Amino acid sequence: GAVAAGGGRSGTAADWGGFEDNMQGGGSAVIDMENMDDTSGSSFEDMGEMHQRMKEEEEEEEAEGEAGAAEEEDGEFLGMKGLRGQLGRQVADQMWQVGKRQASRAFSLYANIDILRPYFDVEPVQVRTRLLESMIPVKMINFPQKIAGELYGPLMLVFTLVAILLHGMKTSDTIIREGTLMGTAIGTCFGYWLGVSSFIYFLAYLCNAQITMVQMLSLLGYGLFGHCITLFVTYNIHFHSLFYVFWLGVGGLSTLRMVAVLVSRTVGHTQRLILCGTLAALHMLFLLYLHFAYHKVVEGILDTLEGPNMPPFQRVARDIPVVSNAVLNTTAKAVALTL
């Protein structure tokens, strides 16, 4: 019996020993359970998060629906106020977009300046040569004459003409009722340069002349060199005969230079007559206008010499005897009292 009991205990011990070995040595079942717990726990957490998110979305939708209903009620209650609020927001958005575009254009302005750089990239020696050539007409009709495609020289000549015109206005005491002397001079010179260049370019397009707008601006700008010389001399030396000599000589040479260039670039006698006659008339009449509109020194000097100075001399001559008689009477009275 004891043996059997011992054998039974040993059998059970062997069985439980295997289980204990599994529990102590082999932790695979425990690790698997832990892994399963982890996965199951994470899945439960995910389900909880999803459920929570669904609840939040439903609450947000309900809140938006309530807000929309409130806005509709407010719009119905307020009437035009709700519409004005929407229009105000739209106008504010448009203003923001417009301001953003203008700011971007301002920042990209430096990139656009490179477009104008070739027209002002010129050496001073070349400008001096072109100034001299603008006074020398060349008779060459068989093929087009070359025109400098730069704007530095013409722009400087226009500014020089503005300075000379200001000098003439100040010396002749010209009165400008609307505006200032500087604004009038700049408007006159730049208006002529840009306006006449555009008009002659339009005529050249109608007459099939081979010239571009930049070349026309350059040609007319260098043509103002004769005007600058004529006005500078005649504003300082006040003789009408000298002005007419310079008008026909210097102004005529610069006009003939431009006419010769346009003749070489135009085909057809009628087209040449219309184009060159219009340019010559405008250029010569502009010089006459600048002289007689802002140069009144000679007339003013003649008026002051002839008219206004004569009456004061006469009045002074008449007043001298009266003063002498009064002095004699007072002296006679004083002598009689002393005696």
Side-chain angles (χ1 to χ4, degrees), residues 16-30:
W16 285 100
F19 180 73
E20 288 176 357
D21 293 337
N22 289 330
M23 289 295 292
Q24 295 175 358
S28 61
V30 178

Side-chain angles (χ1 to χ4, degrees), residues 237-259:
I237 303 174
H238 312 293
F239 292 106
H240 281 295
S241 59
L242 182 65
F243 166 74
Y244 287 120
V245 169
F246 272 83
W247 179 64
L248 290 174
V250 181
L253 286 176
S254 62
T255 305
L256 284 177
R257 167 68 179 182
M258 293 190 295
V259 168

Side-chain angles (χ1 to χ4, degrees), residues 203-222:
L203 280 182
Y205 176 77
L206 295 179
C207 297
N208 294 324
Q210 300 176 2
I211 192 170
T212 62
M213 186 63 190
V214 176
Q215 290 176 339
M216 190 65 232
L217 287 169
S218 178
L219 183 65
L220 187 65
Y222 277 110

Side-chain angles (χ1 to χ4, degrees), residues 18-199:
F19 180 73
E20 288 176 357
D21 293 337
N22 289 330
M23 289 295 292
Q24 295 175 358
S28 61
V30 178
I31 295 172
D32 292 338
M33 289 299 291
E34 288 177 357
N35 292 331
M36 288 177 68
D37 289 339
D38 291 337
T39 55
S40 63
S42 62
S43 64
F44 282 124
E45 290 175 359
D46 293 338
M47 291 297 292
E49 289 179 0
M50 290 175 64
H51 184 64
Q52 184 67 23
R53 288 175 184 172
M54 290 174 66
K55 283 185 178 181
E56 291 177 356
E57 290 177 357
E58 290 177 358
E59 291 176 357
E60 289 178 357
E61 290 178 357
E62 291 177 358
E64 289 178 357
E66 292 177 357
E71 287 180 358
E72 290 179 358
E73 292 178 357
D74 292 338
E76 292 176 358
F77 179 72
L78 296 174
M80 291 301 293
K81 289 184 178 180
L83 182 61
R84 288 176 181 175
Q86 293 178 359
L87 289 175
R89 286 193 295 269
Q90 291 179 359
V91 171
D93 293 337
Q94 290 180 358
M95 293 293 291
W96 170 256
Q97 294 295 331
V98 171
K100 188 177 180 181
R101 287 195 212 101
Q102 290 180 353
S104 62
R105 289 176 183 174
F107 282 115
S108 62
L109 180 63
Y110 181 76
N112 295 329
I113 292 176
D114 292 336
I115 300 174
L116 300 175
R117 186 172 295 173
Y119 302 112
F120 293 91
D121 188 10
V122 61
E123 296 293 332
V125 179
Q126 296 177 350
V127 174
R128 184 183 62 189
T129 303
R130 288 165 185 169
L131 287 175
L132 295 176
E133 290 177 352
S134 66
M135 302 296 297
I136 303 173
V138 179
K139 186 179 179 181
M140 187 170 54
I141 307 175
N142 295 328
F143 57 91
Q145 297 184 22
K146 186 178 179 181
I147 302 176
E150 53 96 4
L151 299 176
Y152 175 78
L155 190 62
M156 293 300 105
L157 281 173
V158 173
F159 279 118
T160 305
L161 187 61
V162 169
I164 295 172
L165 195 59
L166 273 176
H167 172 67
M169 288 178 178
K170 291 179 180 179
T171 54
S172 62
D173 294 331
T174 302
I175 298 174
I176 305 297
R177 294 181 180 179
E178 296 181 358
T180 60
L181 295 178
M182 177 68 76
T184 305
I186 291 176
T188 302
C189 298
F190 276 92
Y192 173 78
W193 181 45
L194 299 176
V196 174
S197 296
S198 302
F199 180 66

